[in-house]
Amino acid sequence: MSRLNLFAPDVRENPYPFYAELRRNSPVCQVEPNGMWVVTRYDDLLTAFKNTQIFSSAGMRVATEPPYLRRHNPLSGSMILADPPRHGALRGLANRAFTASAVSSLEQHMRSTAARLADDLVQRRVADFVTDFASRAQVSALAKLIGFDPSLEKHFERWTTDLVSVGTISPEDHARLDEVRRTIDEMEQYMLDLLASRRRRLENDLVSDLLRSRSNDDATTDQDLVALLFLLLVAGLETATSLMTHMVLILARRPAWLDRLRAEPALIPGFVEEVIRFEPPVHATMRLTLAETELGGVRLPAHSVVALLVGSGMRDETRFKDPDRFDPGRRDQANLAFGHGAHFCLGVFLARTQARVVLEELVRRCSRIELRVERLEWNAVLNTRCPVALPIEVIPTSRPAARERPSVQGSW
């Protein structure tokens, strides 16, 4: 029997029936590309997330810095590709400044940006939600929080696209490899210049807070800071854009929810949580086995590349009742969509806040959101699953709904 190819067009378009088949018959197995192993059941995913001594994140640096890249990739030095105890030191660096209070202070900025973009969307009526709204909203939030120059929006999008594609580039594709090397050069120089600028003049942003918090005996280096900035830009832009895009795609396919959320906006956070479960912004995450081990009754050889298919685990029938039904009323989210344990996502509060604010502004203005394409094109990146573009038409409300959130009783 041939192996499932995770990048086959029909799998990419709707992977969930294929995942269900794997959960039933081959919950831990090899797939294409490259015979990597996949883990598909919720409990097995949880086991792998917890066992960092066997399922190594650091081992996956080969995906961000393959030998044929012939250049150091600062993303390889980030905490997402580190194991304890190194991971703890790097995470502590980010925790000094990347706090819930910092994100909370951003909410008004996020709201004004979302309102402006939503007004523009309503005025234009037809747009690509990915490029015209989602990525612009997140770039604005990251620029404000971290200290990036928002005028470089198009560079950020290109940088992110290039960085996440490193592991999928053929060693023979010399032109593409040259492009990625130039991108890494640009990014690293921009981050170093930003650090130098903030040393000359501290401002109210994360970069300045990181520099303020460093003591004389601090072992962290400028390269550690650059690696963190690489991670925050790439992961922050990619995952939040995916979350917002899936949120709007679900609304387009289930128009009754727009009316419901407009009437009962206090239900919006629950809607966002179900989007996160139903279409996780991190669809898969990679590990490397440091020793032979057993998982799900299958022996995994040492040095095996393993994809933890979070998108499958969040549809596991043994963990969620009727998992393929979109149900914002679920009481137990049990969400692995932002990782677990040591690698629980640092930006989770930012992503949830951004999604909630965007949804609040959209439901006030839109009576319907309609797709303007028959078949979507999906990205070719394993860790996220998102349409490359989302052409939509917006049908505006006759007048904006009130901002107040009425008290809500009852259930979905």
Side-chain angles (χ1 to χ4, degrees):
M1 186 173 68
S2 61
R3 293 172 177 169
L4 177 69
N5 187 337
L6 296 180
F7 289 129
D10 56 339
V11 177
R12 202 64 186 156
E13 184 174 13
N14 182 15
Y16 300 108
F18 298 95
Y19 292 168
E21 180 70 16
L22 290 181
R23 288 194 303 272
R24 284 190 296 269
N25 300 316
S26 304
V28 179
C29 65
Q30 287 183 282
V31 299
E32 299 300 333
N34 304 320
M36 74 171 70
W37 292 85
V38 292
V39 180
T40 59
R41 289 179 179 169
Y42 184 96
D43 288 344
D44 292 334
L45 290 167
L46 194 58
T47 297
F49 273 122
K50 290 178 177 179
N51 191 351
T52 58
Q53 292 182 326
I54 295 294
F55 294 92
S56 169
S57 298
M60 286 315 303
R61 290 177 185 172
V62 67
T64 57
E65 198 173 315
Y68 52 82
L69 183 62
R70 301 199 313 276
R71 194 217 187 277
H72 172 61
N73 181 354
L75 190 61
S76 298
S78 68
M79 63 185 177
I80 200 172
L81 290 170
D83 295 328
R86 175 65 173 161
H87 175 270
L90 293 175
R91 191 177 181 94
L93 173 67
N95 282 338
R96 298 174 193 173
F98 201 73
T99 62
S101 61
V103 176
S104 295
S105 68
L106 263 183
E107 182 165 340
Q108 186 53 49
H109 174 79
M110 291 180 182
R111 188 170 300 281
S112 63
T113 301
R116 173 174 53 81
L117 292 173
D119 285 339
D120 183 59
L121 200 61
V122 168
Q123 184 175 8
R124 295 173 61 179
R125 297 285 291 268
V126 175
D128 170 16
F129 184 80
V130 176
T131 58
D132 295 329
F133 194 113
S135 64
R136 292 175 65 187
Q138 187 62 5
V139 164
S140 177
L142 290 173
K144 180 71 171 177
L145 175 68
I146 300 172
F148 294 145
D149 181 353
S151 69
L152 298 177
E153 175 184 341
K154 293 299 182 184
H155 290 280
F156 294 158
E157 294 175 7
R158 174 173 56 83
W159 290 351
T160 297
T161 299
D162 285 351
L163 261 290
V164 299
S165 71
V166 169
T168 64
I169 300 174
S170 166
E172 286 75 40
D173 192 346
H174 301 294
R176 183 74 182 112
L177 286 169
D178 284 342
E179 289 177 354
V180 171
R181 292 186 196 105
R182 286 193 295 270
T183 287
I184 295 174
D185 287 342
E186 284 180 41
M187 288 183 69
E188 187 167 37
Q189 189 60 56
Y190 176 75
M191 304 305 183
L192 290 171
D193 289 346
L194 181 60
L195 290 172
S197 173
R198 292 299 186 269
R199 282 197 177 93
R200 291 191 297 269
R201 179 180 177 180
L202 294 173
E203 297 189 12
N204 185 27
D205 56 37
L206 185 145
V207 173
S208 299
D209 287 345
L210 287 171
L211 293 173
R212 287 189 190 97
S213 68
R214 291 175 73 182
S215 58
N216 291 333
D217 59 350
D218 198 324
T220 58
T221 66
D222 277 4
Q223 283 303 313
D224 292 330
L225 296 178
V226 168
L228 175 61
L229 296 179
F230 264 61
L231 174 62
L232 293 178
L233 175 61
V234 174
L237 183 55
E238 188 182 27
T239 57
T241 297
S242 176
L243 173 54
M244 285 184 275
T245 301
H246 278 294
M247 190 168 66
V248 168
L249 178 57
I250 287 169
L251 287 174
R253 289 173 168 170
R254 297 166 175 80
W257 291 116
L258 262 175
D259 295 334
R260 183 69 186 272
L261 295 176
R262 189 180 309 106
E264 302 177 88
L267 298 173
I268 284 176
F271 185 94
V272 170
E273 286 306 303
E274 180 67 348
V275 174
I276 292 170
R277 183 200 70 84
F278 197 72
E279 290 287 1
V282 177
H283 196 80
T285 187
M286 307 301 293
R287 296 290 189 269
L288 187 77
T289 57
L290 298 184
E292 182 179 323
T293 189
E294 182 174 315
L295 185 65
V298 175
R299 299 300 298 179
L300 295 173
H303 310 300
S304 295
V305 175
V306 181
L308 306 181
L309 293 183
V310 176
S312 174
M314 302 312 293
R315 303 277 189 112
D316 190 334
E317 302 83 354
T318 66
R319 190 63 185 80
F320 302 96
K321 182 180 179 180
D322 198 5
D324 291 323
R325 181 168 62 91
F326 182 78
D327 177 15
R330 292 180 190 275
R331 293 291 179 260
D332 181 11
Q333 296 289 342
N335 224 318
L336 293 178
F338 290 102
H340 181 82
H343 284 282
F344 186 72
C345 178
L346 194 65
V348 60
F349 189 67
L350 174 65
R352 284 183 168 124
T353 302
Q354 177 76 287
R356 173 179 58 79
V357 166
V358 164
L359 193 50
E360 287 169 352
E361 295 303 318
L362 286 175
V363 300
R364 294 182 63 243
R365 293 165 173 81
C366 306
S367 65
R368 283 201 324 279
I369 298 174
E370 299 178 353
L371 290 179
R372 290 292 298 265
V373 64
E374 291 186 5
R375 189 165 188 172
L376 295 169
E377 178 187 354
W378 295 87
N379 65 345
V381 179
L382 190 57
N383 68 304
T384 61
R385 176 179 171 271
C386 185
V388 174
L390 189 67
I392 58 171
E393 180 176 358
V394 169
I395 312 300
T397 57
S398 57
R399 62 183 182 186
R403 285 182 181 269
E404 291 77 16
R405 296 183 183 182
S407 59
V408 177
Q409 297 183 5
S411 65
W412 291 83

